[in-house]
Amino acid sequence: ARHQAELARQAKADLFVKEIIPVIRKIQAADRTTLQEIADSLMDQRKLTPRGKKTWTPTTVRLLLIRAEKLRR
């Protein structure tokens, strides 16, 4: 059961990355490239974090970019 829960969590995280990365790439294309600038832009667009919160942090953005790299997104 624990293993199944972990697999489900990972699948949910991967899906979130696949959905949010195109938004982040557009932000980066608009020359907002620091983690803080990306976080601010996501909040300006009222995008929720993976945990459903309104406040993005540079760390959250960094972790998403790392996960995206692992998924080759």
Side-chain angles (χ1 to χ4, degrees):
R2 179 183 271 171
H3 181 67
Q4 288 289 76
E6 177 63 18
L7 291 177
R9 186 196 65 74
Q10 288 176 357
K12 185 177 176 183
D14 291 347
L15 180 61
F16 185 84
V17 167
K18 290 174 185 175
E19 291 173 354
I20 200 75
I21 275 298
V23 176
I24 291 174
R25 297 298 182 222
K26 284 182 184 175
I27 292 167
Q28 290 172 321
D31 208 28
R32 294 183 55 86
T33 56
T34 69
L35 296 174
Q36 185 65 60
E37 288 173 333
I38 295 168
D40 291 343
S41 293
L42 290 167
M43 288 186 286
D44 290 345
Q45 295 180 34
R46 292 181 166 49
K47 299 291 183 188
L48 297 178
T49 69
R51 295 187 179 243
K53 304 214 185 258
K54 294 178 183 177
T55 303
W56 284 84
T57 65
T59 299
T60 306
V61 174
R62 182 177 62 84
L63 293 174
L64 278 174
L65 292 173
I66 290 169
R67 188 172 201 94
E69 182 64 30
K70 288 179 183 174
L71 295 173
R72 302 274 189 241
R73 293 275 166 188

